[in-house]
Amino acid sequence: MINEVDEKYRAEDNNGSSMGREKKVNKGFVAVLVIIVLIAMIFGGDFVYKKMLASQSTNVSSKKSVSVNKPSTEVNIQKDKNVKIDNSKVPSANDNNDANNSIENDKKNLIALNEAVKPLKIEVDLDKQRVYVYDAKSRMVQAFVCSSGISGADTPKGEYTIKERGYSFFSEKYQEGAYYWTQFMGNYLFHSVPFDKNQNIETSEEQKLGTKASHGCIRLAISDAKWIHDNIPRGTLVVIK
């Protein structure tokens, strides 16, 4: 009788232990499953996030409007579509006869731009009020009459390089603007003779070509300023002496 009772209790104990082990196994399995799900969510979310970033980057790079740092000039840069040039008011390098007494002699030996050996170089002669463009073999490609800075607003001498450019600007400080600006240092630009707030070329200023007349920039006839704007690449050496 005692043996039968003992056997009964042993059987019950074995059944209980078995059930406990099964519960422990189930709990362990659930814990592992939870961990796997969490890891999957983390890595899945990271993958989706990276895909979103990549998509945004692609959209940005495909846009046509690109932000470009402009020179720190005191001007309001206008877009090319706003530039209106009245050809009847556009001065040429020949408009000022006094300024062109010797420029024609300089131009006798010019070579064509398509024959020039690159890189080009710009030299500004402040005494003669001339701008010369040379090729890599020191052959003259262009010669322009200019107006540099007046006394107290002198054009800086030295060596610089061409940087930014634009079609026109207007300075609130001086109430003047100009066409076809090409930057060589900070606020200093090659640009056309000035126009007023109504975009009318200032006749009295264009007649000063060949003499010092600017606030430090190098003024040129509009056609000459356009030539530099169109043909002189970024990084071109500029020597002012």
Side-chain angles (χ1 to χ4, degrees):
M1 191 72 174
I2 293 176
N3 291 334
E4 290 178 1
V5 172
D6 289 342
E7 288 297 325
K8 179 182 177 181
Y9 282 103
R10 284 195 200 97
E12 289 177 355
D13 288 343
N14 288 336
N15 289 337
S17 298
S18 237
M19 292 176 63
R21 281 195 300 270
E22 288 177 2
K23 289 181 180 180
K24 288 180 181 179
V25 170
N26 289 338
K27 289 181 179 179
F29 175 79
V30 171
V32 170
L33 185 60
V34 169
I35 292 172
I36 291 173
V37 171
L38 289 174
I39 292 173
M41 290 175 64
I42 292 170
F43 281 98
D46 184 63
F47 176 79
V48 172
Y49 178 72
K50 288 181 179 178
K51 291 290 284 183
M52 290 174 62
L53 286 181
S55 176
Q56 290 176 358
S57 176
T58 302
N59 290 336
V60 170
S61 62
S62 64
K63 290 182 179 180
K64 290 184 179 179
S65 68
V66 179
S67 176
V68 179
N69 291 330
K70 296 295 182 183
S72 57
T73 52
E74 295 176 344
V75 299
N76 174 29
I77 304 302
Q78 301 171 2
K79 296 181 180 179
D80 55 343
K81 66 181 181 180
N82 294 328
V83 177
K84 297 178 181 178
I85 299 178
D86 183 347
N87 289 326
S88 66
K89 299 178 182 179
V90 175
S92 70
N94 295 318
D95 286 344
N96 189 338
N97 292 328
D98 292 336
N100 287 280
N101 287 334
S102 63
I103 196 70
E104 293 306 318
N105 289 329
D106 292 333
K107 290 186 174 183
K108 287 180 180 179
N109 298 318
L110 297 183
I111 66 167
L113 179 61
N114 59 4
E115 297 175 359
V117 178
K118 309 299 172 52
L120 302 176
K121 179 179 72 170
I122 296 179
E123 288 190 5
V124 180
D125 189 323
L126 297 178
D127 291 332
K128 292 184 178 181
Q129 292 293 286
R130 298 289 187 268
V131 175
Y132 300 110
V133 181
Y134 294 98
D135 77 347
K137 291 185 176 182
S138 298
R139 298 177 297 178
M140 192 179 295
V141 179
Q142 278 290 3
F144 305 128
V145 177
C146 71
S147 287
S148 64
I150 59 176
S151 179
D154 303 88
T155 301
K157 296 180 179 180
E159 294 188 356
Y160 311 97
T161 55
I162 294 297
K163 297 175 178 62
E164 303 294 339
R165 70 195 65 220
Y167 287 87
S168 70
F169 70 84
F170 185 80
S171 170
E172 294 292 341
K173 179 178 180 180
Y174 298 113
Q175 287 296 294
E176 286 182 334
Y179 296 114
Y180 299 110
W181 61 269
T182 305
Q183 179 196 34
F184 60 88
M185 185 194 73
N187 295 343
Y188 295 96
L189 318 167
F190 291 100
H191 63 68
S192 76
V193 291
F195 58 66
D196 61 22
K197 63 182 180 179
N198 297 316
Q199 290 190 324
N200 295 317
I201 295 295
E202 297 178 356
T203 305
S204 60
E205 293 300 320
E206 73 180 74
Q207 291 174 349
K208 294 178 183 178
L209 280 172
T211 64
K212 296 181 178 182
S214 78
H215 303 105
C217 292
I218 304 295
R219 292 179 181 176
L220 299 159
I222 292 181
S223 58
D224 298 341
K226 184 179 186 301
W227 192 95
I228 289 179
H229 173 277
D230 291 348
N231 296 294
I232 300 298
R234 186 184 183 97
T236 298
L237 177 64
V238 177
V239 179
I240 301 178
K241 56 186 179 179

